[in-house]
Amino acid sequence: MSEDFQKLIQNDREGRRKQIWKGTMLDYLEVARADPSVAKLSHKRLFEALMKPGSEEINLEENPRLKRIFKESKIKVYNFFKDEFFGMEKTVSSIIRYFHSASLKGEESRQVLYLVGPVGSGKSSLVDRIKQGLEKESMYMIDGCPMYEEPLHLIPRHLRKEFSKMLDIEIEGDLCPICRYKLKEELQGRWEEMPIKKGDFSIRAKRGIGVVPPVDPNNQDTSVLIGGEDISKLDIYSEGDPRVLDLSGALNVGNRGMVEFIEVFKNETEYLHAMITATQEKHIPAPGRHGMIYVDTCIIAHSNEAEWHKFKSDHTNEAILDRIVVVKVPYNMRLTEEVKIYKKIIRGSKFNADIAPHTLEIASMFAILTRLEPTNKCDLMTKLKLYNGEEVVEKGKTKKIDVLELKEEARNEGMNGISTRFIMKALDNALSDNIADNCIHPISVRESLVQMVKETDLPEDTRKRYLEFLQDTIHKEYLDVLEREITKAFVYSYQEQAESLFQNYLDHAEAYVTKKRVKDRSTAQELEPDETFMKSIEEQIAIIGTACDGFRQEVIAYLWSVSRKGENISYESYEPLKEAIEKKLMASVRDVSRIITKARTRDEEQGKKYERMVEQLIRNGYPASCVDIILKYASNNLWKD
């Protein structure tokens, strides 16, 4: 076994040795001539790192759900963020657009990228992901330079024009005081002999990546940003000697890469001027009497919305505001994407409990309902479904509400509400209350959320609204879901029966619309369209009387258009008809499922049906440990006498 360990260590060491490059400035000039991209600036390097995994444009014609959400907008998925961030297409696109513009040396290359959003919306995670991408990159640097600076800074000003032509590289920037001293005193100006090396970016080693945490307003020492002077060396060297400099500030170590400002507006305004100078002028003050130092870095700052509004409201901050590119990072507003967030978090944890179907969906519904703003066009649950790209049917008709219009009238939507952390705590609490069965389900999670909302310090009107979501809106929604689940468990071959009803309805509706007779599939006998059968389905979604004619015509017209496109037709193809068929199936078993589920004592036949139902629910993904709890909940709430 120890041989395996040794082999792994040796292979790693060999791989790293091959990546090591050391040489003189003269050697580096040959490297730069062969590949001018080695001298790219920070924004260009970051843009290429983000784009390296590629991107793809979503074909909305092939994805009806997304087309209902985005209409005619072009949606690109960037693989760099794809598996980590969900429901953030607009935010990610804005970040990519910033880096693209900055990489072309536009005005945004001299501006701070500022992410603003509520707590837990993903601001820090986005920045961490960008830092991880940068860590996979490498750079050539002056050996021993505390700022890992670009070796081309060694080329004297009077020779730069000629070298730029030879290398096809635009040379900008100046040597830091420490490298200038080394060139003058140790190499006597022979800049071509300066040692150069290749190195990786590193968060832990503070190489090319700097981080500025919030600083105590009463003790804002700028050395955190620009370094300081080593007091122990002042006894040896004079105050103006570059050798006393300690260039370990975030803007020093973040040279060539990026600097993150955490909760940026918790700092005093004066403290932020070094940040603005670094990005706008590409210079920062050196500690003591050493003038200005050139710096090439991308600054990414973030904070919550309250601090942003407070900072923005002060007109004395206009100079800083003019140098900031604001990107909103709201909470996710799509149900399917919210579920993906919790699944990702759970995968990355030691959470090994059984999770009953619809548990994460119910928790996600609550999170999103708290983030939505009311509208007079529909109720919030309908709005949630529309934002998720679902077709919402009411009285047999699909609701025609423009999602983009809903978003336009609620521009600040997603900047308030419950965070993902709150939901994860609720999942943990639900599990801790059910350690014995090691299982969580929609009922336990809803109870956990109710308890947390009651205990959390919230404004009374907000608490009342959240409890209404949990105890009324989500309660009713889950009962609808549960009835469908139990129906599917009761009806042998649910899919086949639904398809059979669909095909039968289609035959009769088509004959009715075209004024022809129906050919029986079994006997080949020609019959009149069965209006009683069609009405038994249509009445499930409140289609009655003269409305039946229009509905049948709509169904046939829609399905004809679908078939012309070569798409497969099933009972799920047309949402209003799908809902009607599902309700018809539910109605057909409602009585027997109610009796069998509620019965305290069952005869032999009822017992067998109940057991078969339980077995089917387990096959459908329900943990055996919580099936009884869910069925008792159904009997107490779903089929009240």
Side-chain angles (χ1 to χ4, degrees), residues 163-288:
F163 271 94
S164 288
K165 287 180 182 177
M166 293 170 68
L167 299 172
D168 193 25
I169 297 172
E170 186 179 341
I171 304 170
E172 67 171 74
D174 296 299
L175 286 174
C176 73
I178 292 174
C179 289
R180 191 180 298 117
Y181 178 88
K182 185 176 180 180
L183 174 62
K184 183 180 177 182
E185 300 299 329
E186 296 180 18
L187 297 176
Q188 284 75 50
R190 295 190 300 276
W191 56 272
E192 73 280 8
E193 296 178 12
M194 181 70 82
I196 309 297
K197 69 175 182 179
K198 185 180 180 181
D200 298 325
F201 288 82
S202 173
I203 298 168
R204 290 178 295 280
K206 296 183 179 180
R207 188 166 53 246
I209 301 173
V211 178
V212 183
V215 181
D216 180 0
N218 300 317
N219 185 29
Q220 292 200 342
D221 185 355
T222 55
S223 65
V224 173
L225 300 178
I226 61 172
E229 292 180 310
D230 188 339
I231 298 172
S232 66
K233 292 181 179 178
L234 287 173
D235 292 337
I236 308 171
Y237 310 114
S238 65
E239 194 176 344
D241 194 310
R243 286 174 291 183
V244 305
L245 288 175
D246 175 22
L247 300 182
S248 59
L251 292 170
N252 304 123
V253 301
N255 187 41
R256 310 288 302 284
M258 62 175 281
V259 178
E260 175 190 13
F261 277 74
I262 302 170
E263 300 294 348
V264 60
F265 296 126
K266 284 184 178 174
N267 298 302
E268 292 295 323
T269 306
E270 292 74 16
Y271 191 74
L272 301 178
H273 284 300
M275 174 184 83
I276 295 303
T277 305
T279 185
Q280 190 70 27
E281 310 298 335
K282 289 210 165 189
H283 283 87
I284 54 173

Side-chain angles (χ1 to χ4, degrees), residues 151-165:
L152 295 180
H153 292 177
L154 288 161
I155 300 175
R157 289 267 172 188
H158 65 279
L159 292 176
R160 287 192 178 183
K161 189 174 181 180
E162 198 168 341
F163 271 94
S164 288
K165 287 180 182 177

Side-chain angles (χ1 to χ4, degrees), residues 228-502:
E229 292 180 310
D230 188 339
I231 298 172
S232 66
K233 292 181 179 178
L234 287 173
D235 292 337
I236 308 171
Y237 310 114
S238 65
E239 194 176 344
D241 194 310
R243 286 174 291 183
V244 305
L245 288 175
D246 175 22
L247 300 182
S248 59
L251 292 170
N252 304 123
V253 301
N255 187 41
R256 310 288 302 284
M258 62 175 281
V259 178
E260 175 190 13
F261 277 74
I262 302 170
E263 300 294 348
V264 60
F265 296 126
K266 284 184 178 174
N267 298 302
E268 292 295 323
T269 306
E270 292 74 16
Y271 191 74
L272 301 178
H273 284 300
M275 174 184 83
I276 295 303
T277 305
T279 185
Q280 190 70 27
E281 310 298 335
K282 289 210 165 189
H283 283 87
I284 54 173
R289 305 173 183 176
H290 299 276
M292 301 294 284
I293 299 177
Y294 173 84
V295 64
D296 164 38
T297 189
C298 167
I299 295 177
I300 306 179
H302 53 89
S303 75
N304 62 46
E305 198 180 22
E307 287 166 353
W308 165 241
H309 285 309
K310 182 182 176 183
F311 185 83
K312 192 170 61 169
S313 64
D314 188 345
H315 68 90
T316 60
N317 294 330
E318 287 176 359
I320 296 175
L321 291 170
D322 193 45
R323 292 166 172 81
I324 289 175
V325 174
V326 181
V327 173
K328 283 189 175 183
V329 188
Y331 288 130
N332 165 61
M333 305 297 285
R334 291 192 349 244
L335 183 63
T336 53
E337 302 305 293
E338 189 75 7
V339 171
K340 289 178 185 176
I341 292 171
Y342 301 125
K343 284 182 176 178
K344 184 195 82 169
I345 296 171
I346 288 169
R347 278 197 306 270
S349 70
K350 293 183 178 179
F351 193 101
N352 59 2
D354 293 324
I355 303 175
H358 307 291
T359 302
L360 299 182
E361 284 84 348
I362 291 299
S364 299
M365 274 183 192
F366 173 63
I368 294 173
L369 284 171
T370 67
R371 302 166 187 171
L372 292 171
E373 292 183 10
T375 174
N376 56 14
K377 294 178 179 176
C378 61
D379 62 83
L380 288 185
M381 182 55 78
T382 298
K383 192 177 190 183
L384 179 149
K385 291 177 180 179
L386 290 170
Y387 276 14
N388 199 40
E390 297 176 34
E391 284 188 302
V392 179
V393 179
E394 195 173 278
K395 293 184 179 178
K397 291 198 175 286
T398 303
K399 270 188 170 288
K400 301 294 183 185
I401 300 176
D402 192 312
V403 174
L404 296 183
E405 284 182 14
L406 287 176
K407 290 180 178 178
E408 189 65 27
E409 72 176 24
R411 294 195 172 195
N412 208 44
E413 204 164 49
M415 300 300 278
N416 295 291
I418 289 295
S419 72
T420 54
R421 295 189 189 113
F422 188 96
I423 300 297
M424 284 307 301
K425 286 177 191 172
L427 296 177
D428 290 341
N429 290 346
L431 180 60
S432 66
D433 292 336
N434 194 20
I435 293 173
D437 293 329
N438 195 36
C439 169
I440 59 171
H441 45 77
I443 304 156
S444 62
V445 169
R446 192 174 70 94
E447 288 171 355
S448 175
L449 285 166
V450 167
Q451 193 60 34
M452 284 180 65
V453 168
K454 287 179 178 178
E455 293 173 356
T456 303
D457 185 17
L458 294 167
E460 197 52 42
D461 59 333
T462 302
R463 188 194 322 281
K464 186 178 177 182
R465 184 162 54 91
Y466 287 3
L467 289 174
E468 187 178 335
F469 288 149
L470 289 164
Q471 295 170 337
D472 183 47
T473 311
I474 290 173
H475 173 66
K476 289 176 181 174
E477 189 66 26
Y478 180 56
L479 288 179
D480 286 345
V481 170
L482 193 51
E483 187 169 17
R484 282 197 296 274
E485 293 285 286
I486 292 173
T487 300
K488 287 180 181 180
F490 255 112
V491 179
Y492 176 73
S493 188
Y494 179 90
Q495 190 84 11
E496 285 182 23
Q497 292 207 30
E499 286 295 341
S500 176
L501 272 176
F502 170 72

